[in-house]
Amino acid sequence: MTDYRQMWSDLGMDLEKHDQLTGALPLVYETVYLKQPNRPRAMEYFDLVVAEIHSLRIAELVEHRRRGGKVCGAFCVFVPVEIIRAAGAIAVGLCGGSQFWIPDGEKVLPRNLCPLIKASVGARLSGTCPYFQSCDLLIGETTCDGKKKAWEVLNNFAPVYVMDLPQMKRPRDLVAWREEVGLFLDKMEELTGRRVTPERLAEEIQLQNRLRRTLERLYAARKADPVPVSGKDVLLVTQVSFYDDPRRFIEKTEALAAEAEARIAAGEGVFSPGAPRILVTGTPMAIPNWKLHHIIETAGAAVVCEETCTGTRFFEHQVDEAGRTLDEQLQALAERYLKINCSCFTPNPGRIEDILRLVKEYRADGVIYYNLQFCHGYAVEYYAVEKALKERGIPVLKVETDYSEEDTGQLRTRVEAFLEMLR
Ligand code: BJ8
């Protein structure tokens, strides 16, 4: 049997603390995931991924590095992973979703800061996340204020490269972003010592487009009533997509989508027909943040779509594959990524259009607006989202929360009252 403790130790991890972190996960996972009735069989793969979350994939990263390859970690869906991979490196998502990392994050960051940022920095400081420990370079970005200042702190503990993302979407912003994407390619070539050729970049563009289409296919199955797969399960699949091997991920997710489609044909679902259908919108839910979905679905409603960066914002829009030169490909990448409607943009009408469209497509009965505490961009944007939804008679509930369990009872009461109103 592989000695993972030796591997973790070689990665410079704090083994004792790491035991505390991983010791709690099986029970939580069993309660939140394994107890769900009638799960698709294809979810077995994702259960395995979680059970081995700090071992199997990490061993692949270690092996890649042993052969001279590099690993890059990112915190935002704006980072073009196609370029990282075309330069021969592996890309992994690093956003922290666990309360466990918050105290370490608070050692160097203010307490009144978004938990996603505190947990991400805390994961690095605590030496308990083997993904962080495996990274040769961390890729930050200038999205929200909290993140862009946190990179300065994180840079004391690990090398960080920051991509400058515009905050508006005018033609001149696209020009600036295209230039930034080009600089990122230079940085990746410098890191890996390998040239990015148009052929390699084309391959990675096609691969990531396939991955996006696979998630799109799985999401499409959620439009059915009854839904063939729970929102919790789909959330997990999306979370896994950020660090799994992309080819293996596509294969396993295609199998899950096929199973979901067969269930639809047979009229089978995981909730009873007519169960309230909820669209969740707002801030991302990094693994293992399953809190809101668990509350909603144990109250008898189905989460049918997420307008979040661990949802549609991650996979909607393909990169145009027609480009033959690096210049054309970088332009296509810049254009696709700038279509993401994050609240860090002003104005950001595209997000409201997306929410209204998705409510219709997924036949949602109501919207739950998920706001991580101290995320001001999404909190302020609520005004416009609520207005647009109310004008169309679409019920909406705003919840503001963190990663702790302290407010779970209160949240549950509010969600149940909302669902009662929908019924
Ligand atoms: S594109 S949503 S992944 S920035 S929740 S850290 S915004 S204070 S994660 Fe995000 Fe990229 Fe935007 Fe998506 Fe800041 Fe808000 Fe925290 Fe956030």
Side-chain angles (χ1 to χ4, degrees):
M1 195 181 138
T2 316
D3 185 356
Y4 291 119
R5 290 187 80 78
Q6 187 57 51
M7 175 178 80
W8 295 326
S9 169
D10 293 345
L11 286 170
M13 291 174 63
D14 181 335
L15 294 188
E16 218 172 288
K17 213 167 180 180
H18 183 245
D19 285 345
Q20 292 167 23
L21 170 65
T22 51
L25 188 62
L27 185 62
V28 174
Y29 195 74
E30 193 188 332
T31 311
V32 177
Y33 276 94
L34 303 180
K35 286 196 172 149
Q36 294 179 99
N38 198 20
R39 291 176 80 213
R41 285 194 45 205
M43 282 307 297
E44 277 171 16
Y45 169 71
F46 299 94
D47 292 340
L48 172 78
V49 168
V50 176
E52 301 288 339
I53 194 160
H54 284 181
S55 47
L56 293 182
R57 182 62 173 148
I58 298 300
E60 292 176 353
L61 302 185
V62 167
E63 177 57 18
H64 176 74
R65 294 176 84 206
R66 195 186 59 75
R67 291 202 208 127
K70 303 288 182 194
V71 176
C72 294
F75 304 87
C76 178
V77 295
F78 269 98
V79 175
V81 290
E82 294 91 336
I83 294 177
I84 299 177
R85 297 204 301 251
I90 291 179
V92 290
L94 287 179
C95 287
S98 170
Q99 176 68 18
F100 185 86
W101 291 316
I102 299 287
D104 280 293
E106 287 179 351
K107 285 180 188 162
V108 292
L109 295 168
R111 295 191 68 189
N112 57 350
L113 188 68
C114 156
L116 190 147
I117 304 174
K118 288 190 291 191
S120 301
V121 172
R124 175 67 187 87
L125 259 69
S126 64
T128 54
C129 174
Y131 291 91
F132 262 97
Q133 301 299 117
S134 300
C135 282
D136 297 285
L137 186 66
L138 308 180
I139 322 290
E141 72 316 307
T142 56
T143 46
C144 64
D145 284 353
K147 269 180 160 187
K148 75 183 164 214
K149 296 308 286 181
W151 310 140
E152 296 169 20
V153 177
L154 193 55
N155 204 23
N156 289 286
F157 308 95
V160 185
Y161 176 84
V162 180
M163 293 188 79
D164 186 8
L165 182 75
Q167 311 279 283
M168 296 178 87
K169 292 189 178 180
R170 300 159 302 179
R172 57 185 273 204
D173 298 307
L174 176 61
V175 172
W177 177 235
R178 157 66 186 85
E179 195 185 332
E180 193 64 24
V181 171
L183 291 174
F184 183 58
L185 182 139
D186 296 344
K187 181 69 194 175
M188 284 301 108
E189 288 187 335
E190 180 198 310
L191 177 77
T192 62
R194 285 169 65 166
R195 282 206 72 84
V196 174
T197 62
E199 292 73 29
R200 279 293 297 125
L201 191 50
E203 256 177 60
E204 294 302 337
I205 287 174
Q206 285 162 19
L207 180 63
Q208 195 63 17
N209 277 345
R210 262 179 61 210
L211 189 147
R212 293 185 183 109
R213 284 196 296 272
T214 299
L215 282 170
E216 223 162 61
R217 179 180 169 194
L218 177 63
Y219 266 61
R222 305 168 81 187
K223 295 174 185 172
D225 181 25
V227 286
V229 54
S230 71
K232 273 195 283 193
D233 277 334
V234 177
L235 174 63
L236 178 68
V237 170
T238 315
Q239 290 170 335
V240 167
S241 71
F242 286 94
Y243 58 90
D244 201 1
D245 171 78
R247 286 184 177 80
R248 182 174 55 215
F249 175 83
I250 290 169
E251 186 198 318
K252 301 296 183 185
T253 306
E254 288 285 345
L256 175 61
E259 192 179 342
E261 287 157 7
R263 284 179 162 209
I264 295 171
E268 281 173 33
V270 285
F271 293 93
S272 41
R277 302 168 63 84
I278 300 297
L279 178 132
V280 169
T281 179
T283 47
M285 296 168 175
I287 198 165
N289 177 10
W290 307 305
K291 184 173 166 180
L292 180 65
H293 278 52
H294 184 57
I295 291 174
I296 296 171
E297 297 202 325
T298 48
V303 179
V304 292
C305 181
E306 296 83 14
E307 190 280 321
T308 67
C309 289
T310 39
T312 56
R313 289 203 292 268
F314 173 55
F315 64 78
E316 284 199 327
H317 308 295
Q318 305 275 302
V319 177
D320 185 353
E321 296 178 9
R324 289 290 164 261
T325 64
L326 274 184
D327 193 45
E328 289 165 352
Q329 291 167 326
L330 292 177
Q331 180 67 27
L333 282 164
E335 285 175 11
R336 185 268 159 193
Y337 278 88
L338 208 58
K339 286 181 187 150
I340 299 169
N341 294 315
C342 173
S343 74
C344 64
F345 288 93
T346 184
N348 191 28
R351 180 165 168 242
I352 293 166
E353 289 159 21
D354 287 344
I355 294 169
L356 296 175
R357 169 177 56 83
L358 293 168
V359 165
K360 260 201 201 134
E361 277 180 21
Y362 288 82
R363 300 187 281 160
D365 299 306
V367 172
I368 298 189
Y369 196 102
Y370 175 73
N371 210 119
L372 279 173
Q373 242 175 27
F374 308 115
C375 173
H376 302 314
Y378 283 90
V380 174
E381 203 157 271
Y382 179 70
Y383 175 83
V385 174
E386 183 194 41
K387 186 162 172 274
L389 289 170
K390 288 208 163 150
E391 277 168 7
R392 287 157 185 84
I394 303 163
V396 55
L397 171 74
K398 183 185 185 214
V399 299
E400 194 156 350
T401 185
D402 58 12
Y403 293 165
S404 75
E405 290 299 326
E406 277 165 29
D407 62 349
T408 301
Q410 194 199 16
L411 271 184
R412 186 174 290 282
T413 308
R414 290 186 62 213
V415 167
E416 282 173 357
F418 183 65
L419 297 179
E420 203 43 53
M421 191 264 289
L422 293 183
R423 282 185 181 109

